Amino acid sequence: MSSPATLPVTNQQATQSQPPINTPAFRTFLSRLSSSLRASLSQRRPWLELIDRTSFARPDSLTDSISRIRKNLAYFKVNYAAIVSLVLAFSLLSHPFSLLVLLSLLGAWMFLYLFRSSDQPLVIFGRGFSDRETLLGLVVTTIVVVFMTSVGSLLTSALTVGVAVVCLHGAFRVPDDLFLDEQEPANAGLISFIGNSAAATSAAAASVVAGRV
């Protein structure tokens, strides 16, 4: 009597032992984020200089206001970015549901796509999804959450208030006593600073996305 055929058994234990996040890419992202934050905070101006009451005066005209705003943006860009971030954080903390939705969306991007091991397929309810399908689903979900719910209006309102506070301070703060770096262009303000910081902190994530697509 012949013995029964031996069925191949997959090593499920080895598969389950794989980490859900691509650890090297995640560590690279955290390292670049930490370096970017340290470099940005090193450019912060003293807060007492920002709120010096003797340096405030009413602008003579709209042109004078715009000129002051541009100079103050170039000098206090880190402080202004912190103010906008605080306004945004306060708005989110005052609306816990929106904060929970954004954190869930961020976690979905991190765990399901950005830092998930490329050799570990995404399986939901017994169905496997490719990287392109996962990316498409996350993009559609992000658009729906940001533009078709109250989360988008909350973010827009918070950013509007933060920018308004920055512009108001910049228009009334006399920049004559500020010593701007001669190598720094006059129009290098808050927007360019945020853009450079975002580009530096998202370099690791972008490389992961480029490798998957």
Side-chain angles (χ1 to χ4, degrees):
M1 182 175 183
S2 60
S3 60
T6 303
L7 297 177
V9 179
T10 58
N11 191 355
Q12 298 180 355
Q13 183 178 3
T15 303
Q16 295 177 355
S17 64
Q18 294 180 356
I21 296 181
N22 190 358
T23 306
F26 187 68
R27 289 180 178 176
T28 301
F29 174 79
L30 291 181
S31 177
R32 294 192 179 186
L33 178 61
S34 177
S35 300
S36 177
L37 290 177
R38 286 197 299 267
S40 300
L41 292 177
S42 65
Q43 303 177 21
R44 178 180 57 85
R45 308 297 181 180
W47 289 102
L48 292 178
E49 186 177 2
L50 184 76
I51 59 177
D52 185 9
R53 297 178 59 183
T54 61
S55 300
F56 287 89
R58 183 177 179 179
D60 298 331
S61 61
L62 179 60
T63 303
D64 186 25
S65 300
I66 297 176
S67 177
R68 289 183 181 185
I69 292 175
R70 292 181 60 185
K71 292 180 180 179
N72 285 318
L73 280 176
Y75 189 78
F76 292 113
K77 55 188 177 183
V78 179
N79 303 76
Y80 285 160
I83 292 175
V84 175
S85 300
L86 287 176
V87 173
L88 182 61
F90 178 78
S91 299
L92 290 175
L93 290 176
S94 60
H95 296 79
F97 176 76
S98 298
L99 178 61
L100 180 61
V101 171
L102 287 178
L103 290 179
S104 301
L105 186 62
L106 177 62
W109 273 98
M110 294 179 61
F111 285 92
L112 299 182
Y113 187 77
L114 291 178
F115 304 116
R116 179 174 55 83
S117 299
S118 58
D119 57 347
Q120 186 176 8
L122 177 63
V123 180
I124 300 178
F125 298 111
R127 183 186 185 281
F129 294 87
S130 64
D131 287 338
R132 292 183 181 274
E133 292 174 336
T134 304
L135 177 61
L136 179 61
L138 288 172
V139 169
V140 172
T141 303
T142 302
I143 293 175
V144 172
V145 169
V146 174
F147 295 101
M148 298 183 181
T149 64
S150 60
V151 176
S153 60
L154 175 64
L155 294 176
T156 303
S157 302
L159 291 176
T160 301
V161 172
V163 172
V165 172
V166 168
C167 291
L168 185 63
H169 179 275
F172 282 85
R173 177 50 162 93
V174 181
D176 294 341
D177 60 334
L178 304 181
F179 300 92
L180 298 176
D181 190 357
E182 295 180 356
Q183 297 180 354
E184 186 176 20
N187 60 349
L190 180 63
I191 297 178
S192 62
F193 165 75
I194 295 177
N196 293 335
S197 300
T201 56
S202 61
S207 62
V208 175
V209 175
R212 289 178 176 273
V213 177

